[in-house]
C-alpha cells in the first residue's frame, strides 16, 4: 500500500506520455462499454416488458392453486378455501397486492361467432394495481365490482365476434357436476392490451357472478400475490407457503410460466456472454497498448529496478496503468450509455418489426432499461478480464534484469 | 570496516560466438569511507565490477559482499532492498524517469523507501539547492540540459545519504565547471558523512579527487594505488 501513490502517479503519467495511443485505446474502451450497456439496456427493456406483461396477465409473482389445477384447469380443481378464510389468512399479511380469481376455460358466443377463451372472474378493485388492463382506457367501462353482471372482453375478440359494447354474448363452461353452466352477459367494455393475443384470450366478469354461474359457492381457482420485485419473489413465496397447508400448491411465476422463467435466465446469460465477447475484441487492443508501453520504456523499468524498486512493484505499476485506462474508458462509456439510454426510456417505436417481436411476447414499443446492476456487471467483467489480460505484459516487465534493461537502446 | 569485498569473481559474456571475460578472478576490498576510482580502457571490466557490487549483475563465480552481506546469492527482492537502503547509483547516461519532474525524480527513492511527504519535500529542496538547481523543481528531464539532468541524477543518488555511492562516468557529459562542482559535492559527502564512493571513470579531473585508484585491464586489477586527493 505504501507504494500505491508513487505507482499510481507513474502509471498515470506514463499513460499520457503517448497521448494519441491512449486516446485511441480510450475511445475503443468507451465505445465498447457503451455498446455493452446500450445493448443490455435494450435487451433488458424488452425482456422486462415481456415478463412484466406476462406476469400481470397471468401469474403475478406467486400463485396458489389446487395441486391438480395446472394440469387440468377445470372448475373441479378449485382451492378448498372460502373467501372468508382467504381474507382471514392473507387480508392483513402485508402483501403489496393479492387477489383471488375464478379462472376456467370457456366458450364465448355472439350472434355471429364463437371462440374459446379463458374466463376470469375477478374482484376489479383487488387487481387494479397489477392488472395488464388499464381500467381507465377501456372502451365503455371496466367491471365495477365482484357482483357486476357485465362482461369485459378484448377489442380484438370483439372484432372477431363482430360484437361491441352494449351487445349481448353468451359465456359457457362446465359446473362441478359436469353440467353446462352458461349465462348471457352484456358487453360493458372492450379492453386494449400491448398484444393482440391478450385481447383475443381473456374475458372478465365479476368474481361472485362467476361463482354463481359455475355454482361453486364462494370458492376460487387461484390466488395471485405480487411483491415488489419479480426477480426476487422468495420473500413472498415463503410468506404465502407459511400461510397454507398441503391441500394447495404454491408456485413462483417462473414455475407457472416456464417460458418467461427460462427467458429471464437465458437473457441474463446472454448479457454476460455479450459483455465477454465485446471485451475479447477490446483485449487485443489493450494487450497491444500495454506491450508497446512496456517495450518503449524498458530502460526506465531497468532504472527503477536498479534504484531499488521491487519487481512486484513494476508488475503493479503496469497493472495500475491498465486499470486506469480501463476505468477512464469505462467511465466515459458509462456516461455515454446514460445519456443515450435515458432519453429512450420513455419508449422507442419498433412497430416496423413489432409483428415479428410479438411472436416472442414483446410489444411494438420498446422501453430500454438502464439497471445499475447491469452497469456494474459490465464494468466489473471488463475490469476483471482486463486485469487478467494485463498480467502477461506486466509479468514480462517485472522479469527484466536491471543491467540488461538499463543498457537497452 | 569493510564496505565492499569481492572474492575471486568471474563474469563472462557471450558476444556472437565469442566469450568475453569481463571479470577474471578479480578480488578487491574497499573500506568504509574510501573514495575509489576504477580506471580501465573501454571493455576493461569497470562497469561490470560496479554492476556486480551494486547487485545489478550476478557474477558467474566468486563472492560479493556489501555492508557485510553476501549479495551474489540474494534474490531479486533482497537485492532491491539492499540497493534501496544502502546504495546510490549515478549512471553514465542521465537515466532520469522522464515522466517525473526534477523534484519528483529526487524524491523517487525516498518515496520507495517510505519517507514521509514533508520530510521528502524538505530533503529534495535542500539537495536541489546543494546541486545548484533551485528553481528547476518542476521541470521534466526533457526541459533540462545534460548537465542539469546529471546533477538531478546525482542529487537522487545522494539525497538519502546511502553508505555507498556507485557512479559510472558521472562527469562524462558535463562541462569542466559542472564536473568540478559535482566532484566537490562528492568530496564533501565523503569527508563529512563518511560515504564510500566507487567511481568508474576515464576523466582525469575525477581521479584528482580519488584517494585510491584501481586500474583494470581485461577484467583484472593491474594496479591499486593510494594517493593524496585534491
Amino acid at each position: 500500500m505504501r507504494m500505491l501513490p508513487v505507482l499510481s502517479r507513474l502509471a498515470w503519467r506514463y499513460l499520457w506520455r503517448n497521448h494519441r495511443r491512449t486516446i485511441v485505446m480510450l475511445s475503443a474502451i468507451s465505445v465498447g462499454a457503451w455498446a455493452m450497456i446500450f445493448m443490455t439496456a435494450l435487451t433488458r427493456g424488452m425482456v422486462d416488458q415481456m415478463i412484466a406483461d406476462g406476469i400481470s396477465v397471468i401469474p403475478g409473482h406467486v400463485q396458489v392453486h389446487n395441486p391438480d389445477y395446472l394440469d387440468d384447469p377445470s372448475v373441479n380443481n378449485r382451492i378448498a378455501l372460502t373467501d372468508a378464510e382467504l381474507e382471514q389468512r392473507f387480508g392483513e399479511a402485508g402483501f403489496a397486492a393479492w387477489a383471488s380469481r375464478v379462472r376456467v376455460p370457456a366458450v364465448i358466443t355472439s350472434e355471429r361467432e364463437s371462440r374459446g377463451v379463458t374466463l376470469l372472474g375477478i374482484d376489479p378493485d383487488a387487481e387494479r394495481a397489477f392488472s395488464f388492463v388499464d381500467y381507465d382506457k377501456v372502451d365503455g367501462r371496466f367491471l365495477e365490482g365482484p357482483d357486476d353482471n357485465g362482461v369485459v372482453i378484448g377489442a380484438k375478440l370483439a372484432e372477431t365476434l363482430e360484437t361491441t359494447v352494449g351487445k349481448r354474448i353468451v359465456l359457457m363452461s362446465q359446473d362441478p357436476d359436469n353440467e353446462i353452466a352458461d349465462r348471457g352477459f352484456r358487453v360493458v367494455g372492450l379492453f386494449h392490451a400491448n398484444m393482440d393475443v391478450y385481447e383475443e384470450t381473456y374475458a372478465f366478469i365479476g368474481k361472485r357472478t362467476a361463482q354463481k354461474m359455475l355454482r361453486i359457492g364462494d370458492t376460487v381457482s387461484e390466488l395471485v400475490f405480487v411483491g415488489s420485485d419479480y426477480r426476487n419473489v422468495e420473500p413472498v413465496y415463503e410468506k404465502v407457503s407459511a400461510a397454507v397447508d398441503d391441500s394447495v400448491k404454491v408456485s413462483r411465476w417462473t414455475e407457472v410460466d416456464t417460458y418467461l422463467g427460462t427467458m429471464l435466465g437465458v437473457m441474463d446469460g446472454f448479457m454476460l456472454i455479450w459483455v465477454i465477447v465485446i471485451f475479447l475484441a477490446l483485449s487485443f487492443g489493450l494487450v497491444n497498448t500495454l506491450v508497446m508501453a512496456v517495450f518503449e520504456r524498458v530502460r526506465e523499468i531497468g532504472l527503477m529496478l536498479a534504484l531499488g524498486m521491487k519487481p512486484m512493484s513494476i508488475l503493479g505499476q503496469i497493472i495500475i496503468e491498465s486499470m486506469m485506462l480501463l476505468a477512464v474508458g469505462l467511465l466515459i462509456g458509462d456516461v455515454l450509455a446514460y445519456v443515450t439510454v435515458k432519453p429512450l426510456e420513455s419508449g422507442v417505436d419498433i412497430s416496423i418489426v413489432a409483428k415479428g417481436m410479438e411472436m416472442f411476447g414483446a410489444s411494438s414499443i420498446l422501453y430500454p432499461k438502464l439497471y445499475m446492476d447491469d452497469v456494474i456487471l459490465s464494468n466489473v467483467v471488463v475490469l476483471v478480464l482486463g486485469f487478467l489480460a494485463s498480467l502477461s505484459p506486466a509479468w514480462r516487465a517485472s522479469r527484466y534484469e536491471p543491467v540488461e534493461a538499463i543498457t537497452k537502446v | 570496516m569493510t564496505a565492499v569485498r569481492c572474492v575471486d569473481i568471474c563474469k563472462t559474456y557471450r558476444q556472437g560466438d565469442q566469450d568475453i571475460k569481463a571479470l577474471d578472478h578479480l578480488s578487491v576490498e574497499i573500506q568504509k569511507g574510501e573514495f575509489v576510482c576504477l580506471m580501465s580502457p573501454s571493455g576493461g571490466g569497470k562497469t561490470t565490477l560496479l554492476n556486480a557490487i551494486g547487485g545489478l549483475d550476478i557474477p558467474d563465480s566468486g563472492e560479493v559482499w556489501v555492508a557485510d552481506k553476501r549479495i551474489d546469492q540474494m534474490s531479486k527482492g533482497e537485492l532491491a532492498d539492499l540497493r534501496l537502503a544502502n546504495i546510490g547509483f549515478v549512471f553514465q547516461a542521465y537515466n532520469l524517469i522522464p515522466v517525473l519532474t526534477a523534484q519528483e525524480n529526487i524524491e523517487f527513492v525516498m518515496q520507495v523507501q517510505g519517507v514521509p511527504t514533508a520530510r521528502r519535500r524538505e530533503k529534495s529542496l535542500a539537495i536541489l539547492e546543494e546541486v545548484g538547481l533551485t528553481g528547476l523543481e518542476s521541470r521534466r528531464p526533457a526541459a533540462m540540459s545534460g548537465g542539469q539532468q546529471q546533477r538531478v541524477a546525482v542529487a537522487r543518488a545522494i539525497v538519502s545519504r546511502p553508505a555507498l555511492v556507485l557512479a559510472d562516468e558521472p562527469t562524462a557529459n558535463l562541462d569542466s565547471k559542472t564536473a568540478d562542482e559535482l566532484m566537490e559535492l562528492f568530496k564533501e559527502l565523503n569527508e563529512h558523512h563518511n560515504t564510500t564512493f566507487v567511481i568508474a571513470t576515464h576523466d582525469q579531473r575525477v581521479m584528482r579527487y580519488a584517494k585510491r585508484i584501481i586500474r583494470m585491464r581485461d577484467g583484472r586489477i593491474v594496479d591499486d594505488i593510494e594517493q593524496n586527493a585534491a
Side-chain angles (χ1 to χ4, degrees):
Chain A
M1 286 306 286
R2 176 165 61 86
M3 292 297 292
L4 198 57
V6 66
L7 295 182
S8 302
R9 178 192 289 163
L10 283 167
W12 183 252
R13 299 261 179 95
Y14 273 117
L15 208 53
W16 293 105
R17 186 192 203 181
N18 190 331
H19 61 274
R20 281 193 195 88
R21 187 176 61 210
T22 299
I23 287 170
V24 168
M25 195 56 216
L26 275 180
S27 305
I29 295 168
S30 304
V31 171
W34 169 82
M36 285 176 204
I37 298 166
F38 190 80
M39 273 300 291
T40 303
L42 287 182
T43 313
R44 187 69 80 191
M46 189 176 78
V47 173
D48 269 12
Q49 198 177 341
M50 284 161 62
I51 290 170
D53 286 351
I55 289 172
S56 67
V57 172
I58 311 170
H61 292 176
V62 171
Q63 284 194 355
V64 176
H65 297 104
N66 179 298
D68 297 322
Y69 178 84
L70 291 178
D71 292 332
D72 176 16
S74 77
V75 72
N76 290 313
N77 293 324
R78 304 188 306 281
I79 295 169
L81 291 168
T82 63
D83 278 343
E85 287 169 330
L86 292 175
E87 187 58 36
Q88 190 185 350
R89 292 184 190 211
F90 303 114
E92 303 298 324
F95 293 105
W98 76 279
S100 58
R101 294 170 178 160
V102 174
R103 183 173 160 211
V104 289
V107 173
I108 186 168
T109 307
S110 70
E111 68 272 33
R112 293 175 185 273
E113 294 284 347
S114 293
R115 284 287 183 276
V117 293
T118 296
L119 177 62
L120 288 164
I122 64 166
D123 176 351
D125 289 339
E127 304 212 2
R128 176 182 282 275
F130 58 91
S131 174
F132 73 101
V133 176
D134 185 343
Y135 294 1
D136 298 328
K137 290 185 178 167
V138 167
D139 297 338
R141 66 170 177 80
F142 199 69
L143 303 173
E144 290 173 340
D147 295 307
D148 198 313
N149 286 318
V151 63
V152 176
I153 59 174
K156 192 76 182 171
L157 181 60
E159 202 179 296
T160 307
L161 297 173
E162 298 182 46
T163 188
T164 188
V165 174
K167 291 199 165 188
R168 289 185 71 85
I169 52 89
V170 174
L171 280 166
M172 186 168 64
S173 187
Q174 286 199 5
D175 71 7
D177 299 323
N178 298 324
E179 298 295 334
I180 294 295
D182 56 356
R183 185 181 154 172
F185 288 85
R186 190 171 302 283
V187 178
V188 295
L190 305 180
F191 71 82
H192 299 275
N194 289 334
M195 285 183 284
D196 289 351
V197 65
Y198 297 159
E199 292 182 11
E200 287 167 344
T201 305
Y202 298 102
F204 294 95
I205 61 174
K207 185 173 83 177
R208 278 202 280 272
T209 307
Q211 286 168 334
K212 279 181 206 161
M213 173 185 144
L214 298 169
R215 295 182 278 278
I216 56 174
D218 60 354
T219 57
V220 292
S221 312
E222 73 182 11
L223 307 178
V224 180
F225 298 85
V226 178
S228 53
D229 181 6
Y230 73 81
R231 289 170 179 276
N232 180 20
V233 298
E234 285 312 303
V236 178
Y237 178 82
E238 283 165 16
K239 207 167 174 180
V240 173
S241 298
V244 296
D245 55 28
D246 291 345
S247 66
V248 293
K249 177 176 169 54
V250 183
S251 314
R252 301 168 187 87
W253 68 268
T254 47
E255 299 164 71
V256 177
D257 193 329
T258 49
Y259 170 71
L260 284 178
T262 306
M263 176 79 78
L264 183 66
V266 167
M267 284 299 173
D268 282 347
F270 167 76
M271 282 174 208
L272 188 62
I273 291 169
W274 169 244
V275 168
I276 290 173
V277 166
I278 290 203
F279 176 79
L280 286 177
L282 281 180
S283 66
F284 292 104
L286 177 68
V287 171
N288 180 57
T289 299
L290 292 175
V291 167
M292 289 304 295
V294 167
F295 185 71
E296 71 187 13
R297 60 171 195 263
V298 173
R299 274 183 65 165
E300 289 139 53
I301 289 169
L303 174 67
M304 289 179 211
L305 290 168
L307 293 176
M309 191 174 251
K310 289 190 176 176
M312 283 308 287
S313 296
I314 300 292
L315 183 126
Q317 186 190 322
I318 305 298
I319 286 174
I320 290 172
E321 204 169 317
S322 162
M323 292 294 104
M324 282 177 166
L325 189 65
L326 289 168
V328 174
L330 284 171
L331 187 66
I332 297 170
D334 291 349
V335 171
L336 268 178
Y338 183 83
V339 298
T340 51
V341 172
K342 275 291 163 188
L344 300 179
E345 281 191 343
S346 52
V348 184
D349 188 352
I350 53 165
S351 50
I352 295 171
V353 291
K355 286 290 172 196
M357 298 292 281
E358 200 166 278
M359 287 172 60
F360 301 102
S363 77
S364 60
I365 306 289
L366 188 58
Y367 300 92
K369 283 277 175 61
L370 191 62
Y371 283 113
M372 189 51 76
D373 283 358
D374 292 334
V375 176
I376 291 171
L377 172 78
S378 51
N379 281 228
V380 168
V381 168
V382 169
L383 286 173
V384 169
L385 294 181
F387 171 80
L388 296 176
S390 313
L391 282 177
S392 168
W395 179 254
R396 280 174 59 183
S398 71
R399 294 292 92 194
Y400 282 127
E401 290 297 333
V403 73
E404 287 169 15
I406 216 161
T407 51
K408 268 262 188 324
V409 180
Chain B
M1 192 178 173
T2 306
V4 176
R5 186 154 61 95
C6 300
V7 184
D8 200 30
I9 57 174
C10 294
K11 182 75 187 179
T12 304
Y13 292 111
R14 188 144 188 94
Q15 206 166 53
D17 52 1
Q18 209 179 358
D19 286 336
I20 311 268
K21 277 195 173 175
L23 296 174
D24 187 6
H25 297 282
L26 182 146
S27 296
V28 67
E29 202 166 301
I30 297 168
Q31 299 304 316
K32 187 164 171 52
E34 276 198 283
F35 197 116
V36 180
C37 261
L38 299 176
M39 296 202 66
S40 77
S42 283
K46 56 187 184 302
T47 298
T48 307
L49 179 58
L50 274 189
N51 288 339
I53 295 170
L56 298 177
D57 206 356
I58 306 298
D60 300 331
S61 62
E63 296 173 13
V64 181
W65 294 75
V66 173
D68 293 328
K69 289 174 190 149
R70 185 169 177 183
I71 68 167
D72 54 285
Q73 293 176 333
M74 283 182 173
S75 68
K76 284 184 174 182
E78 289 170 326
L79 285 171
D81 283 339
L82 175 95
R83 289 194 291 267
L84 189 64
N86 298 290
I87 305 174
F89 282 99
V90 182
F91 298 102
Q92 185 171 2
Y94 308 124
N95 285 305
L96 296 180
I97 299 168
V99 295
L100 299 181
T101 65
Q103 189 173 2
E104 288 167 345
N105 261 290
I106 291 168
E107 287 184 18
F108 177 79
V109 171
M110 290 189 285
Q111 201 164 4
V112 177
Q113 286 172 334
V115 176
T117 309
R119 182 87 183 113
R120 277 199 326 257
R121 294 282 132 83
E122 185 191 326
K123 289 180 86 168
S124 61
L125 289 173
I127 200 84
L128 272 165
E129 189 180 352
E130 216 169 324
V131 296
L133 292 176
T134 303
L136 301 185
E137 298 88 351
S138 306
R139 289 229 187 137
R140 290 207 182 170
M144 289 190 281
S145 69
Q148 288 169 336
Q149 289 184 44
Q150 189 67 322
R151 278 185 281 168
V152 173
V154 168
R156 181 185 60 200
I158 61 179
V159 68
S160 52
R161 302 282 183 244
L164 173 65
V165 172
L166 303 175
D168 191 1
E169 306 280 9
T171 57
N173 298 293
L174 302 182
D175 58 53
S176 298
K177 183 169 172 287
T178 312
D180 282 340
E181 284 171 0
L182 180 66
M183 291 317 298
E184 286 296 332
L185 183 63
F186 280 3
K187 183 182 166 192
E188 189 192 325
L189 281 170
N190 176 245
E191 286 173 356
H192 291 98
H193 298 280
N194 206 28
T195 306
T196 309
F197 279 84
V198 182
I199 302 174
T201 187
H202 290 106
D203 192 339
Q204 295 296 326
R205 292 169 302 186
V206 176
M207 290 200 312
R208 284 193 288 118
Y209 288 86
K211 294 172 189 165
R212 180 179 171 192
I213 296 176
I214 297 173
R215 293 182 194 279
M216 297 174 65
R217 186 178 299 145
D218 299 330
R220 293 172 180 226
I221 293 173
V222 293
D223 200 7
D224 187 347
I225 56 165
E226 295 196 356
Q227 66 172 23
N228 289 323

